[in-house]
């Protein structure tokens, strides 16, 4: 296939997730410092940690983009200035490959104070047409992340009308009930603004149902909105999660520069499986071995909500894939090797050693450690039949696929 393979852009909410994204095949990562990014609740990075993370990415040939994509109010501008000063002081190896910005004022300040760092426009800017994309390009933006509300025809037409401008599209992850994520629910309910990186995700809360359905006046007998309870509660505002893995060949034909995975607040185990699925899919397209059902099967195991094609398909079509009825939770992450058959593991969920374990090897390889071929030990060398979340244990096993940074699951 002659199409250019897009960059796979993955979230790096902390050091572990940065390493996980790189291990499982991301070609670029996006990350934030301690201020002015839209994931202020995540562990994130200190300024020194951010510089070290960017250096680490560069050493592995991975691009690193720093988020300054909050929508600041007047009183927040000093923090924007501080962030730019900090970034400007970073050495060449620690300088980000681009800044991700949503606000035109922040863009103006970045062009003034950090003119040598490219700017990528965030989805929060809600770019939904070629004229808007061209406007941003005229003001120095080199890449635009298109609005998540666009369908394939809109993406195609913008790509055709904006030669020379890089386009980025969200391919996987959480969607929002607000336009391109610009939500006010969190500010209304909890006095924490989503547009300043403080979202408490009230759209994911469970609510008690007081009304069952609504009917629009001019369409009697036709339900416009219906609510279903489960155990007395309902997630009436939670959008499904986006999943466009089946359409990667189309994105490649359209010349899309970057496919973005949402989820700086997600776990490392989640990130490993999602990045692995998309990275493998992109390589398979290039090799002529594209296997959409295999990638979807892997992604459904990570889903906490149904996966959907969202607004992507024409004619208001929407394909929804229900989450796996029995998910296989990540059991542990391999922290380091301490002997020929000894591995320190950070346990993430209950681990029953009477069951086989799969090693999540990049490339959707899933070799198995059979029950009886491995053991868990505590720091005294005592065998443990069960490992519990939060423990650090020693895995005794001899398998060629075991490696630092890999995850394990049933």
């Amino acid at each position: 296939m002659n199409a250019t393979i897009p960059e796979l852009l993955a979230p790096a909410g902390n050091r572990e997730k940065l390493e996980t994204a790189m291990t499982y095949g991301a070609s670029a990562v996006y990350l934030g410092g301690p201020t002015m990014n839209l994931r202020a609740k995540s562990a994130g990075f200190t300024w020194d940690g951010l510089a070290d993370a960017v250096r680490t990415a560069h050493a592995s040939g991975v691009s690193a983009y720093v988020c300054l994509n909050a929508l600041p109010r007047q009183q927040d501008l000093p923090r924007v200035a501080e962030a730019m000063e900090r970034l400007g002081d970073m050495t060449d190896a620690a300088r980000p490959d681009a800044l991700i910005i949503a606000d035109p004022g922040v863009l103006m300040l970045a062009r003034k104070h950090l003119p040598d760092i490219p700017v990528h426009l965030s989805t929060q800017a809600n770019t939904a047409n070629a004229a808007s994309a061209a406007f941003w390009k005229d003001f120095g933006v080199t890449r635009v992340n298109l609005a998540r509300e666009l369908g394939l025809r809109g993406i195609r037409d913008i790509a055709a009308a904006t030669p020379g401008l890089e386009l980025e599209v969200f391919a996987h992850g959480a969607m929002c009930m607000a336009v391109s994520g610009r939500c006010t629910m969190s500010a209304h309910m909890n006095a924490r603004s989503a547009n300043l990186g403080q979202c408490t995700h009230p759209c994911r809360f469970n609510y008690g149902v007081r009304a069952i359905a609504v009917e629009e006046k001019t369409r009697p007998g036709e339900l416009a909105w219906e609510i279903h309870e489960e155990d007395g509660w309902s997630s009436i505002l939670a959008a499904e999660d986006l999943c466009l893995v089946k359409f990667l060949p189309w994105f490649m034909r359209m010349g899309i520069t970057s496919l973005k995975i949402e989820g700086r607040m997600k776990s490392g185990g989640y990130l490993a499986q999602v990045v692995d699925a998309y990275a493998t899919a992109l390589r398979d397209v290039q090799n002529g071995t594209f296997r959409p059902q295999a990638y979807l099967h892997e992604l459904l195991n990570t889903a906490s909500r149904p996966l959907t094609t969202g607004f992507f398909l024409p004619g208001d079509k929407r394909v929804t894939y229900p989450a796996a009825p029995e998910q296989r939770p990540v059991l542990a992450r391999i922290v380091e090797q301490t002997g020929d058959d000894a591995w320190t593991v950070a346990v993430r969920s209950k681990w029953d050693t009477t069951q086989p374990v799969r090693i999540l090897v990049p490339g959707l390889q899933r070799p198995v450690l059979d029950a009886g071929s491995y053991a868990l030990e505590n720091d005294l060398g005592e065998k443990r039949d069960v490992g519990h979340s939060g423990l650090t244990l020693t895995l005794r096993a001899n398998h060629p696929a075991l490696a630092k940074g890999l995850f394990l699951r049933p």
Side-chain angles (χ1 to χ4, degrees):
M1 186 172 181
N2 295 324
T4 302
I5 188 167
E7 167 191 273
L8 182 60
L9 177 56
N14 57 30
R15 183 73 189 197
E16 178 192 304
K17 295 172 191 177
L18 168 68
E19 294 172 356
T20 297
M22 295 190 300
T23 295
Y24 284 92
S27 47
V29 294
Y30 59 102
L31 60 170
T35 187
M36 287 295 106
N37 74 88
L38 283 183
R39 290 297 179 267
K41 281 179 62 184
S42 68
F45 295 90
T46 64
W47 289 117
D48 289 342
L50 183 69
D52 185 59
V54 174
R55 282 192 293 266
T56 299
H58 288 166
S60 298
V62 171
S63 299
Y65 310 137
V66 170
C67 298
L68 291 177
N69 56 340
L71 302 174
R73 299 171 185 173
Q74 183 63 28
Q75 65 268 27
D76 301 313
L77 290 181
R79 289 195 292 155
V80 175
E82 178 198 3
M84 292 186 181
E85 182 178 354
R86 292 276 194 166
L87 292 167
D89 288 341
M90 290 182 180
T91 61
D92 289 346
R95 278 207 162 196
D97 297 282
L99 304 175
I100 300 175
I101 290 174
D103 182 81
V106 177
L107 170 61
M108 181 187 72
L109 293 171
R111 294 295 79 216
K112 178 180 179 181
H113 297 291
L114 300 170
D116 297 330
I117 302 180
V119 172
H120 295 175
L121 194 70
S122 172
T123 188
Q124 268 69 31
N126 191 37
T127 305
N129 60 73
S132 180
F135 169 87
W136 292 114
K137 182 181 179 183
D138 286 347
F139 280 86
V141 169
T142 60
R143 178 188 295 185
V144 170
N145 183 299
L146 296 177
R148 294 184 227 192
E149 294 77 31
L150 285 176
L152 64 85
R153 290 172 179 164
I155 295 171
R156 177 198 62 195
D157 293 345
I158 293 173
T162 55
L165 179 65
E166 295 182 356
L167 297 181
E168 181 179 285
V169 176
F170 267 107
H172 193 91
M175 296 192 296
C176 185
M177 295 300 288
V179 175
S180 290
R182 299 181 75 157
C183 183
T184 61
M185 285 183 64
S186 182
H188 171 70
M189 293 184 67
N190 298 317
R192 296 183 59 173
S193 173
N195 298 313
L196 292 175
Q198 300 164 356
C199 187
T200 56
H201 302 287
C203 58
R204 311 289 190 236
F205 294 174
N206 291 321
Y207 294 88
V209 177
R210 298 293 176 261
I212 303 302
V214 295
E215 181 180 294
E216 200 272 322
K217 181 178 178 181
T218 64
R219 288 170 282 190
E222 178 181 335
L223 293 180
W225 194 272
E226 188 173 7
I227 299 169
H228 297 277
E229 284 189 355
E230 184 175 342
D231 298 326
W233 301 96
S234 177
S235 300
I236 60 175
L237 299 170
E240 299 157 329
D241 283 356
L242 184 66
C243 178
L244 298 179
V245 71
K246 287 190 173 184
F247 306 100
L248 297 194
W250 183 89
F251 286 115
M252 294 173 72
R253 291 195 301 271
M254 292 300 105
I256 298 302
T257 301
S258 180
L259 297 175
K260 191 170 188 176
I261 295 170
E262 182 275 338
R264 272 190 288 159
M265 303 283 285
K266 295 283 192 178
S267 69
Y270 169 91
L271 187 62
Q273 295 170 91
V274 173
V275 171
D276 193 23
Y278 277 85
T280 303
L282 288 170
R283 286 193 295 270
D284 286 352
V285 175
Q286 290 286 92
N287 296 331
T289 57
F290 191 56
R291 302 167 290 150
Q293 288 304 126
Y295 322 128
L296 186 60
H297 178 75
E298 185 75 3
L299 294 168
L300 286 172
N301 184 65
T302 70
S304 57
R305 291 178 292 275
L307 301 180
T308 179
T309 54
F311 299 99
F312 184 73
L313 297 175
D316 295 326
K317 294 178 183 176
R318 179 175 298 205
V319 178
T320 299
Y321 315 102
E326 293 186 9
Q327 294 189 334
R328 296 157 290 166
V330 163
L331 297 175
R333 179 176 185 257
I334 302 174
V335 178
E336 61 180 342
Q337 185 173 11
T338 56
D340 290 342
D341 68 343
W343 306 83
T344 300
V345 292
V347 182
R348 300 295 166 83
S349 59
K350 185 178 179 181
W351 182 347
D352 181 353
T353 60
T354 64
Q355 297 183 349
V357 171
R358 287 173 173 79
I359 309 168
L360 303 189
V361 177
L364 285 186
Q365 301 175 66
R366 301 294 182 256
V368 176
L369 292 174
D370 292 319
S373 70
Y374 71 90
L376 290 179
E377 298 176 355
N378 62 18
D379 56 0
L380 299 177
E382 300 167 335
K383 286 191 176 183
R384 301 288 296 264
D385 293 331
V386 178
H388 293 283
S389 177
L391 293 178
T392 298
L393 300 174
T394 295
L395 169 66
R396 291 284 181 182
N398 190 358
H399 194 290
L402 291 170
K404 177 182 177 180
L406 298 187
F407 287 80
L408 308 170
R409 80 170 185 219

